[in-house]
Amino acid sequence: MDVVEVTEGKTRFFVPRQDPHLQFPPGSGPVFYNSRMELNRDTTVLLLSVLRPGSYLDAMGASGVRGLRVAHEDGIPVTINDWNTKAVDLIQQNVEALGLAAEVTREDANVLMSGRTFDAVDLDPFGTPAPFVDSAARSAGNYLFVTATDTAPLCGAHLKAGMRRYFSRPRNTEYHAEVGLRTLMGFVVREVIKYDRGVEPLFCYAHEHFHRLHLRLRYGAAAADRALARLGYVMQCPQCLYRSEQAGMLPEPEECPLCSADLVPVGPLWTGRINDDATLAAMQEALPAVTVGTGARIGRLLATCRQELDTSSHYDYHVIAKHLRVSPGGIGTVIEQLQALGYRASRAHYSGTAIKTDAPLPVLEKVISGG
Ligand SMILES: C[S@@+](CC[C@H](N)C(=O)[O-])C[C@H]1O[C@@H](n2cnc3c(N)ncnc32)[C@H](O)[C@@H]1O
């Protein structure tokens, strides 16, 4: 294989010199590497430097970069797997070049995860992780990490694909990144709690073309019930911008208090917090010591996530301003004015025009229109 050497974080490794977007049948073809996912891998290396699991499975390794970095930079025992022979050859070459003691396997990830357990399991497939979450839920001890790049099905843009994969009804709203992240989280939670295990979010975020979950798993039916209680719906008005949240397995009919239309349920999805503040604080503290190329961006991401409210939707203040035919002021000013009126208000980590608040929509509209 024609390879080229690249560096991410403190790790130098070989990747194929080719177009990574070429399509081949499953289990064959060239080895995948996408430098644009560096921030995704950097956050994993940083978080694992804090969590320090006893073992880590990179279930879909490709070049092996993720597992290589976890082994080399965090010193955590890793297993790197892929079902593609060429990928496994390259992973082995990288492991040897770095002098790591990492285990390399060539199996269907579902077979591997059905037969063995690892303290932390990481899924990074092409597109949807849905076919792998059940076996990962059985394989993972304390931590389960999941990447999804099928943002269109998750966000409601490809409705039927979203319903098939996640058994949820997303809706293409202006807060689609939030819906995608919470739809993915809701699906993973349903896959885990059937085994009487609980799920707690540690650090979950939406970024560019992917969603990423870092979750802690707990043992016991009581922990599973706590996660179950967080499943619910965003109830969106089809005529105006009003929305509310409902907990529960089935949505209750609800009328829009502003225009009397029947609200449309979006979900089931995860409601409530998507981050653990103590974990984010520990990551901020560890960031200067962990050499990651996207460190400045991760610093900003962590800071925004720490102040972000845990509402399951946001208002896009440019959309509201357009609706009201006013020119929008600065987002910071709008947030400060809402807070001065006694409401909670924050930015959201995935959009520069998103405002999360518990202020009623008419109050937000009044603030945006300068009233
Ligand atoms: C998106 S790439 C992984 C990228 C890699 N984690 C990284 O950070 O660069 C997905 C990989 O999953 C592998 N894969 C897909 N389905 C698989 C399966 N059922 N079992 C094992 N590997 C699989 C593919 O061969 C491919 O190398």
Side-chain angles (χ1 to χ4, degrees), residues 239-292:
Q239 286 179 19
C240 73
L241 291 174
Y242 178 85
R243 77 289 306 257
S244 65
E245 286 182 34
Q246 271 188 22
M249 290 183 64
L250 292 174
E252 296 291 333
E254 197 178 319
E255 207 173 78
C256 176
L258 302 181
C259 70
S260 301
D262 290 336
L263 300 186
V264 177
V266 182
L269 42 68
W270 175 262
T271 63
R273 68 175 180 87
I274 52 170
N275 290 311
D276 172 57
D277 193 59
T279 303
L280 299 191
M283 290 172 74
Q284 280 180 322
E285 204 175 318
L287 187 54
V290 180
T291 309
V292 287

Side-chain angles (χ1 to χ4, degrees), residues 56-73:
Y56 169 88
L57 171 66
D58 178 357
M60 290 112 181
S63 67
V65 51
R66 195 177 288 270
L68 294 168
R69 291 192 56 193
V70 170
H72 185 61
E73 296 172 42

